[in-house]
């Protein structure tokens, strides 16, 4: 299976296994807001060969083409490396996949989704590798896209026209963003009346097949330390990865079981419109992480004696986030504490889903504002040129 551990920068070309037998694949992208759709792409890509290298662009490279990413390159490398189908990452990969790139990383083929990407002058970005027969395609994951997720977040913060600055600290941007927000908002709310705008895009349909494709299928072995962690794991992000990685380091042979709470439960202790991803989406997101061995789909909020005995749990871990009491006011970790198997784990990361949402929305609004400025500039240039022509 894929081996954990982030390779040192630039190591992909030297470290890649050689030999006729191994088929190596390459995926290239920004991987800025990684979701289970990306994980599914990487899962399909890994299945096409024996070894998968994932090239991730630098902040500078992304800023040049699209504007600054939400997450730094270090965060993005770490996030991709945590996906269990990734054998190796290639930091600072070029923006366009050429034959030269494939050769540099010693890869037989590259893999891309079935959406068409065009260069500035309208050519197929993958033309060169397609002609050489070194292109493979994987299916897009129905029911999720970055735009769709941002739409859900915009709804969630209720950052609509008037009360945008209640939820987020945008008072200083109100001039630019008052207008912008309206545009973004209206784009996302063009769904039929009374429906959530994003359900019109596409709805995620869970099937047992998808769960099987994502699941490890490994049972705990004698000598494994069975560690239980519980939570929403909503919008599975770098803060979750940092926490799970720390938990994974607690033992020589960890078997981590993640208990995911049902949507209703999450909403009880998180409020607002949480969770942003439903239980089915959260299940796949967590299963894609290399540190997790098993997921309980709809775990009880209180970690009960039943649960601990059933899974033969050795250790129960919780991060540094606040533990909300159960409905009856009791501590959900009462039983593991009584047994002396409860442990707080400091991931060293303060990132919560709330903070991530704020970062993403801020980035998106600035992106919209930049686009509007750019359009205005281009119009001004065209006007100026027209005036010049009229003079001559």
């Amino acid at each position: 299976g894929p081996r954990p551990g982030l390779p040192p920068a630039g190591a992909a070309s030297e470290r890649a296994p050689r030999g006729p037998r191994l088929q190596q694949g390459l995926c290239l992208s920004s991987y800025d807001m990684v979701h289970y759709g990306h994980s599914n792409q990487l899962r399909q890509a890994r299945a096409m060969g024996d070894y998968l290298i994932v090239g991730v662009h630098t902040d500078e490279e992304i800023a040049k083409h699209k504007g600054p990413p939400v997450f730094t390159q270090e965060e993005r490398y770490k996030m991709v490396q945590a996906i269990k189908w990734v054998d190796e990452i290639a930091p600072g990969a070029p923006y366009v996949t050429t034959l030269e790139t494939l050769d540099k990383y010693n890869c037989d083929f590259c893999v891309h989704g079935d959406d068409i990407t065009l260069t500035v002058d309208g050519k197929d970005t993958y033309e060169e590798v397609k002609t050489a027969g070194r292109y493979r395609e994987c299916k897009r994951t129905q029911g999720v896209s970055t735009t769709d997720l941002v739409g859900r977040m915009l709804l969630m913060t209720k950052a609509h026209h008037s009360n945008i600055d209640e939820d987020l600290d945008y008072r200083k941007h109100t001039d630019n963003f008052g207008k912008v927000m309206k545009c973004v908002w209206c784009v996302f709310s063009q769904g039929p009346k009374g429906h959530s705008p994003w359900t019109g895009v596409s709805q995620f349909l869970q099937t047992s097949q998808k769960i099987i494709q994502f699941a490890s299928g490994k049972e705990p072995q004698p000598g494994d330390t069975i560690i239980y962690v519980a939570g929403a794991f909503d919008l599975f992000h770098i803060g979750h990865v940092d926490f799970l990685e720390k938990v994974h380091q607690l033992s020589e042979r960890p078997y981590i079981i993640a208990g995911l709470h049902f949507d209703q439960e999450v909403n009880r202790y998180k409020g607002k419109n949480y969770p942003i991803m439903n239980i089915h989406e959260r299940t796949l997101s967590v299963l894609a992480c290399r540190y997790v061995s098993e997921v309980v789909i709809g775990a009880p909020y209180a970690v009960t004696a039943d649960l601990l005995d059933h899974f033969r749990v050795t250790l129960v871990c919780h991060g540094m986030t606040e533990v909300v009491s159960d409905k009856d006011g009791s501590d959900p970790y009462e039983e593991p504490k009584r047994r002396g198997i409860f442990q707080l784990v400091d991931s060293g990361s303060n990132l919560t889903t709330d903070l991530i949402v704020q970062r993403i929305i801020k980035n998106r609004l600035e992106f919209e504002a930049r686009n509007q400025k750019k359009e205005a500039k281009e119009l001004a240039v065209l006007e100026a040129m027209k005036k010049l022509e009229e003079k001559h």
Side-chain angles (χ1 to χ4, degrees), residues 121-133:
D121 45 7
K123 282 216 300 279
D124 180 347
T125 321
Y126 288 90
E127 190 170 23
E128 191 190 3
V129 284
K130 278 180 180 173
T131 312

Side-chain angles (χ1 to χ4, degrees), residues 49-60:
D50 309 291
Y51 196 87
L52 180 64
I53 295 177
V54 180
V56 185
H57 312 315
T58 59
D59 295 346
E60 196 185 352

Side-chain angles (χ1 to χ4, degrees), residues 3-12 15 51 54 77 81 86-91:
R3 69 185 154 62
L6 190 67
R15 295 263 297 274
Y51 196 87
V54 180
Y77 296 158
Q81 183 266 328
V86 176
D87 292 302
E88 207 161 314
I89 69 155

Side-chain angles (χ1 to χ4, degrees), residues 94 96-106 128-129 134:
V96 176
T97 313
T98 59
L99 289 171
E100 190 189 356
T101 310
L102 283 176
D103 293 338
K104 178 186 168 188
Y105 296 122
N106 195 34
E128 191 190 3
V129 284
R134 293 171 70 179

Side-chain angles (χ1 to χ4, degrees), residues 225-369:
T225 305
I226 298 173
I227 308 175
Y228 182 74
V229 298
F233 292 98
D234 191 16
L235 263 191
F236 193 73
H237 57 71
I238 191 77
H240 297 132
V241 169
D242 284 332
F243 167 69
L244 290 166
E245 186 183 20
K246 276 282 184 337
V247 171
H248 196 265
Q249 289 162 357
L250 291 175
S251 153
E252 277 296 295
R253 295 182 43 191
Y255 185 95
I256 298 176
I257 302 175
L260 300 190
H261 303 135
F262 279 131
D263 300 347
Q264 203 179 347
E265 192 72 67
V266 175
N267 187 258
R268 178 185 70 83
Y269 65 84
K270 288 277 292 184
K272 291 189 183 165
N273 266 9
Y274 282 115
I276 290 171
M277 283 188 171
N278 69 35
I279 184 71
H280 303 305
E281 300 177 289
R282 292 184 284 121
T283 298
L284 294 189
S285 306
V286 174
L287 281 174
C289 179
R290 70 168 70 245
Y291 305 118
V292 174
S293 298
E294 182 59 291
V295 165
V296 181
I297 306 170
Y301 189 67
V303 183
T304 57
D306 264 357
L307 185 144
L308 296 173
D309 296 339
H310 175 76
F311 291 114
R312 298 195 177 88
V313 176
T314 332
L315 190 59
V316 175
C317 296
H318 185 82
M320 304 314 276
T321 56
E322 178 205 1
V323 178
V324 180
S325 304
D326 205 346
K327 292 183 200 63
D328 60 4
S330 63
D331 176 356
Y333 291 114
E334 194 181 334
E335 181 60 23
K337 282 176 182 171
R338 193 188 64 74
R339 295 187 183 196
I341 60 169
F342 180 76
Q343 189 174 336
L344 280 177
V345 173
D346 187 352
S347 68
S349 158
N350 64 346
L351 281 178
T352 60
T353 301
D354 264 323
L355 286 172
I356 298 272
V357 167
Q358 292 189 24
R359 256 171 91 169
I360 288 168
I361 288 181
K362 186 171 184 295
N363 177 281
R364 215 14 95 108
L365 293 177
E366 284 166 359
F367 174 76
E368 294 286 332

Side-chain angles (χ1 to χ4, degrees), residues 34-234:
V34 174
H35 51 67
Y36 63 93
H38 296 113
S39 303
N40 193 35
Q41 178 212 5
L42 297 171
R43 179 190 66 78
Q44 294 176 66
R46 179 64 175 76
M48 293 173 187
D50 309 291
Y51 196 87
L52 180 64
I53 295 177
V54 180
V56 185
H57 312 315
T58 59
D59 295 346
E60 196 185 352
E61 189 74 14
I62 296 170
K64 239 180 13 209
H65 292 84
K66 299 191 196 174
V70 180
F71 297 97
T72 67
Q73 55 203 42
E74 294 314 315
E75 290 173 316
R76 291 182 293 107
Y77 296 158
K78 192 165 198 175
M79 198 66 203
V80 171
Q81 183 266 328
I83 296 170
K84 63 182 173 188
W85 298 286
V86 176
D87 292 302
E88 207 161 314
I89 69 155
Y95 210 75
V96 176
T97 313
T98 59
L99 289 171
E100 190 189 356
T101 310
L102 283 176
D103 293 338
K104 178 186 168 188
Y105 296 122
N106 195 34
C107 287
D108 301 276
F109 56 88
C110 68
V111 185
H112 186 70
D114 49 12
D115 49 318
I116 297 164
T117 47
L118 300 174
T119 56
V120 192
D121 45 7
K123 282 216 300 279
D124 180 347
T125 321
Y126 288 90
E127 190 170 23
E128 191 190 3
V129 284
K130 278 180 180 173
T131 312
R134 293 171 70 179
Y135 174 85
R136 307 267 189 290
E137 207 160 72
C138 59
K139 288 202 268 300
R140 243 198 98 259
T141 307
Q142 158 272 331
V144 69
S145 70
T146 305
T147 313
D148 164 67
L149 288 173
V150 173
R152 303 188 202 185
M153 289 172 220
L154 285 172
L155 276 184
M156 212 252 348
T157 51
K158 304 192 190 61
H160 199 18
H161 314 324
S162 57
N163 57 358
I164 176 163
D165 39 29
E166 257 174 43
D167 262 59
L168 305 161
D169 181 25
Y170 286 139
R171 285 179 197 80
K172 51 184 184 296
H173 300 298
T174 325
D175 325 331
N176 334 350
F177 289 151
K179 287 195 296 289
V180 175
M181 190 61 213
K182 193 164 181 173
C183 306
V184 180
W185 184 261
C186 296
V187 167
F188 285 119
S189 42
Q190 279 163 354
K193 285 272 175 290
H195 287 282
S196 312
W198 72 85
T199 48
V201 182
S202 175
Q203 204 178 11
F204 175 73
L205 303 167
Q206 184 71 292
T207 58
S208 56
Q209 181 61 19
K210 284 180 195 152
I211 294 177
I212 288 170
Q213 287 169 342
F214 272 62
S216 77
K218 285 198 212 43
E219 289 190 7
Q221 298 305 305
D224 284 358
T225 305
I226 298 173
I227 308 175
Y228 182 74
V229 298
F233 292 98
D234 191 16

